């Protein structure tokens, strides 16, 4: 990777959106009124918003101009054919089913393939994928390599699936019991970690051997391809588009949340390499939940922005700048002694909340306390991906079950912030680190049964 000092953003800014930092007293008041849950804050009260990289990209002049030629015909709009062409060209997949966002594509996929008590194998399913699996009373099985769960090991492809465990699972359960394998690239749930080309190829060989479809969750496929180019010598001189083509060739289809690597604010799709029967089946469900096959819950203009975004999101200079910015923040955080997941992934920096605030016991939600402190300190919004997001109270024993990791994700929106904003984030952490011993834990005052972190209320201890 080139040194970040040796190049600048490969764009200039034509339109800006003012942001303001409220004063500390106001922030204290606002976070209290939000019951210490940053999801309850108004976006205008946030200074730098790192809640998610999803749907938060800045679109280009090319995408905006594409929106002006949105063809809003119910059936057969021109923009659908542009999208179809982009997907055939970049992914090499024949059949395209647009949806309003990624989880809608997952809904169609799971409706087609997954039934009660079945197991869905993957490297590491994202929450909504797990949600769709569990909704069908099926079981998600995550077989990421052990290194992928250790924030301190420096492995280049921590999103890889453990091939031995994959074979064991496939050999032990027939297609009636484990109908599908899903590879999420990059793996969001453990820090935006990539899957190697070799691992994808080997997973595909196993899926074929045991006659199971292999599906890619492609939300951040371009970032994954960039890591392959950087970290696998065999691909140093291969273009991102050729890497993408090869990676997708190993699977039978994909779901995509286009709100990430396709640089749009809304949209998604399901695509199949060549299976026309699956396509027709998917369209039946799409028509019920999303809309006719050529719009799938999106406006024609959204389809056009998406088609153009797929090209922009796979441009080499864009990806160098994008991944470079995330790495830049990661380096600043490391320099400041903040414990983060290593290596830094594609879409954000993941701080080890319970390690950073090690004086706060897990039961007192250290990662959530850090999220609150970050807002108090600088008006920066991050997301807790730890006990609040993934822990739960066991209904039988009444005891709290803790997830492996207690992380705070600083997700970086694409093309939206400059390195100067990243400097502010790192500085806020430095200030927090200087007085972290005085930060106290939190407790729930309200929690819903599922996906509790979105609506929970808290109280500082
Ligand atoms: N798959 C992955 C890997 C994701 O990260 C997401 C969303 C989805 C599927 C679902 O897509 O939001 O378009 O319905 N991730 C967002 C995030 C929400 O903040 O990481 P969606």
């Amino acid at each position: 990777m080139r040194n970040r000092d040796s190049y600048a953003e490969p764009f200039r800014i034509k339109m800006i959106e003012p942001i303001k930092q409220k004063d500390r007293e106001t922030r204290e008041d606002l976070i209290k009124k939000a019951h210490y849950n940053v999801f309850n804050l108004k976006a205008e009260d946030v200074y730098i918003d790192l809640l998610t990289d999803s749907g938060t990209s800045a679109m280009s002049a090319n995408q905006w101009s594409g929106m002006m030629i949105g063809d809003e015909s119910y059936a057969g709009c021109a923009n659908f054919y542009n999208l179809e062409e982009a997907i055939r060209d970049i992914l090499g997949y024949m059949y395209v089913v647009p949806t309003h966002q990624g989880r809608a594509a997952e809904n169609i996929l799971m409706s087609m393939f997954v039934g009660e008590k079945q197991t869905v194998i993957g490297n590491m399913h994202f929450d909504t994928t797990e949600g769709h699996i569990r909704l069908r009373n099926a079981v998600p099985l995550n077989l990421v390599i052990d290194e992928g769960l250790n924030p301190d090991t420096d492995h280049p492809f921590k999103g890889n699936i453990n091939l031995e465990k994959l074979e064991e699972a496939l050999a032990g359960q027939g297609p009636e019991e484990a109908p599908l394998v899903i590879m999420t690239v990059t793996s969001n749930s453990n820090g935006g970690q990539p899957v190697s080309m070799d691992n994808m190829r080997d997973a595909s060989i196993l899926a074929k051997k045991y006659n199971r479809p292999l599906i890619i969750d492609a939300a951040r496929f371009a970032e994954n391809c960039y890591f392959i180019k950087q970290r696998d010598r065999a691909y140093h001189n291969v273009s991102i588009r050729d890497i993408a083509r090869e990676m997708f060739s190993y699977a039978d289809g994909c779901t995509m949340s286009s709100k990430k690597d396709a640089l749009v604010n809304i949209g998604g799709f399901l695509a199949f390499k060549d299976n026309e029967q699956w396509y027709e089946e998917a369209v039946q469900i799409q028509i019920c939940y999303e809309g006719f096959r050529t719009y799938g819950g999106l406006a024609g203009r959204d389809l056009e922005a998406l088609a153009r975004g797929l090209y922009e999101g796979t441009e080499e200079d864009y990806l160098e700048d994008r991944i470079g910015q995330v790495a830049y923040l990661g380096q600043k955080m490391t320099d400041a002694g903040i414990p983060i997941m290593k290596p830094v992934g594609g879409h954000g920096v993941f701080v080890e909340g319970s390690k950073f605030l090690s004086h706060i016991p897990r039961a007192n939600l250290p990662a959530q306390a850090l999220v609150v402190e970050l807002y108090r300190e600088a008006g920066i919004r991050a997301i807790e991906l730890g006990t609040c997001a993934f822990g739960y109270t066991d209904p039988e024993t009444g005891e709290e079950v803790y997830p492996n990791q207690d992380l705070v994700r600083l997700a970086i929106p694409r093309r939206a912030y400059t390195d100067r904003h990243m400097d502010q984030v790192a500085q806020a952490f430095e200030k927090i680190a200087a007085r972290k011993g005085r930060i106290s834990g939190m407790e729930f005052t309200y929690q819903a049964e599922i996906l509790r972190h979105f609506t929970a209320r808290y109280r500082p201890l």
Side-chain angles (χ1 to χ4, degrees):
M1 203 188 282
R2 276 197 295 174
N3 186 327
R4 185 133 179 102
D5 292 339
S6 69
Y7 65 90
E9 289 81 355
F11 54 82
R12 56 183 177 179
I13 298 163
K14 199 192 284 276
M15 193 177 2
I16 58 100
E17 184 181 10
I19 50 175
K20 288 205 168 58
Q21 191 177 37
K22 304 265 152 129
D23 61 56
R24 183 178 288 264
E25 210 173 303
T26 307
R27 294 198 297 269
E28 289 282 354
D29 188 45
L30 288 167
I31 193 72
K32 188 171 175 197
K33 286 194 179 123
H35 301 279
Y36 300 94
N37 184 339
V38 292
F39 279 101
N40 293 333
L41 291 168
K42 286 187 181 162
E44 65 182 33
D45 294 331
V46 174
Y47 176 44
I48 299 174
D49 202 348
L50 308 183
L51 189 68
T52 180
D53 63 318
S54 180
T56 51
S57 301
M59 290 208 299
S60 65
N62 176 46
Q63 286 175 293
W64 279 109
S65 63
M67 293 192 75
M68 295 308 290
I69 54 156
D71 168 356
E72 307 307 341
S73 309
Y74 192 95
C77 74
N79 316 104
F80 168 76
Y81 296 104
N82 293 343
L83 175 63
E84 193 180 56
E85 198 180 302
I87 290 171
R88 286 178 180 168
D89 183 23
I90 298 172
L91 278 51
Y93 286 179
M94 183 68 194
Y95 296 109
V96 179
V97 183
T99 60
H100 76 276
Q101 57 182 72
R103 64 199 73 186
E106 290 169 356
N107 180 39
I108 295 175
L109 179 79
M110 302 299 172
S111 304
M112 289 170 63
F113 289 100
V114 180
E116 272 204 14
K117 301 211 170 80
Q118 292 181 329
T119 302
V120 182
I121 305 168
N123 55 338
M124 211 164 180
H125 301 297
F126 179 66
D127 333 1
T128 55
T129 321
E130 286 218 6
H132 280 292
I133 294 167
R134 290 192 194 282
L135 266 178
R136 288 166 178 83
N137 286 322
V139 184
L141 179 63
N142 294 319
L143 299 179
V144 74
I145 55 171
D146 291 345
E147 292 89 331
L149 296 174
N150 181 347
D152 301 317
T153 47
D154 219 3
H155 185 290
F157 294 104
K158 281 176 143 181
N160 281 356
I161 195 163
N162 181 319
L163 294 163
E164 273 167 36
K165 287 188 186 164
L166 173 60
E167 174 136 40
E168 205 177 301
L170 289 170
Q173 305 187 64
E176 288 300 311
E177 294 151 307
L180 203 59
V181 178
I182 299 177
M183 292 291 282
T184 302
V185 303
T186 58
S187 171
N188 183 0
S189 306
N190 67 340
Q193 301 293 333
V195 172
S196 73
M197 191 70 92
D198 291 344
N199 192 254
M200 186 62 85
R201 188 185 307 115
D202 292 343
S204 145
I205 291 168
L206 287 175
K208 275 200 186 68
K209 177 173 167 191
Y210 291 95
N211 197 22
R212 272 9 106 79
L214 177 68
I215 301 294
I216 292 179
D217 176 336
R220 300 180 180 84
F221 79 94
E223 291 172 2
N224 199 98
C225 292
Y226 186 77
F227 282 123
I228 290 175
K229 185 171 171 120
Q230 294 301 311
R231 296 181 184 174
D232 183 342
R233 201 174 301 141
Y235 291 90
H236 281 351
N237 296 320
V238 183
S239 73
I240 294 291
R241 299 252 167 85
D242 285 345
I243 293 173
R245 270 283 194 145
E246 180 179 344
M247 188 171 75
F248 282 99
S249 77
Y250 296 129
D252 303 291
C254 73
T255 55
M256 180 164 185
S257 166
S258 312
K259 299 168 73 173
K260 285 82 168 171
D261 278 2
L263 299 168
V264 287
N265 305 120
I266 196 70
F269 60 85
L270 177 66
F272 298 115
K273 193 198 288 174
D274 51 19
N275 194 316
E276 190 179 355
Q277 195 190 327
W278 288 352
Y279 169 67
E280 290 301 344
E281 218 178 295
V283 166
Q284 292 298 301
I285 305 165
Q286 179 201 28
I287 290 174
C288 292
Y289 285 96
E290 300 294 305
F292 185 65
R293 65 167 93 214
T294 58
Y295 78 90
L298 295 169
R301 54 179 172 267
D302 298 327
L303 296 167
E304 187 61 34
L306 168 45
R308 295 180 181 209
L310 280 171
Y311 282 104
E312 292 180 17
T314 46
E315 273 170 18
E316 317 253 342
D317 58 352
Y318 153 72
L319 281 165
E320 174 178 48
D321 177 58
R322 156 69 176 162
I323 304 284
Q325 185 176 55
V326 178
Y328 172 84
L329 176 60
Q331 190 56 49
K332 290 234 148 190
M333 300 280 284
T334 303
D335 294 346
I338 314 297
I340 60 167
M341 262 195 98
K342 289 194 191 99
V344 174
H347 65 297
V349 174
F350 288 60
V351 181
E352 293 179 76
S354 48
K355 196 162 170 185
F356 183 57
L357 300 181
S358 56
H359 62 288
I360 302 178
R362 288 290 293 271
N364 297 340
L365 314 175
Q368 178 60 19
L370 180 55
V371 167
V372 169
E373 201 56 31
L374 189 59
Y375 181 74
R376 277 195 177 121
E377 176 58 44
I380 296 164
R381 177 156 68 171
I383 187 173
E384 196 262 15
L385 292 178
T387 303
C388 302
F390 304 123
Y392 58 96
T393 311
D394 189 310
E396 276 168 27
T397 63
E399 295 209 354
E400 192 65 15
V401 180
Y402 295 104
N404 261 338
Q405 297 168 5
D406 213 18
L407 302 172
V408 171
R409 182 182 77 173
L410 308 167
I412 316 296
R414 296 166 181 79
R415 306 193 291 206
Y417 292 112
T418 68
D419 289 3
R420 297 271 292 129
H421 294 107
M422 300 303 114
D423 294 343
Q424 294 302 308
V425 177
Q427 270 177 38
F429 271 92
E430 277 174 42
K431 287 187 188 148
I432 294 171
R435 57 174 162 75
K436 66 177 183 173
R438 294 201 298 276
I439 297 168
S440 58
M442 323 251 353
E443 65 179 9
F444 284 100
T445 57
Y446 163 77
Q447 53 176 304
E449 250 174 65
I450 51 161
L451 297 172
R452 62 183 181 180
H453 64 298
F454 289 110
T455 53
R457 291 180 212 129
Y458 307 93
R459 174 168 62 207
L461 291 166

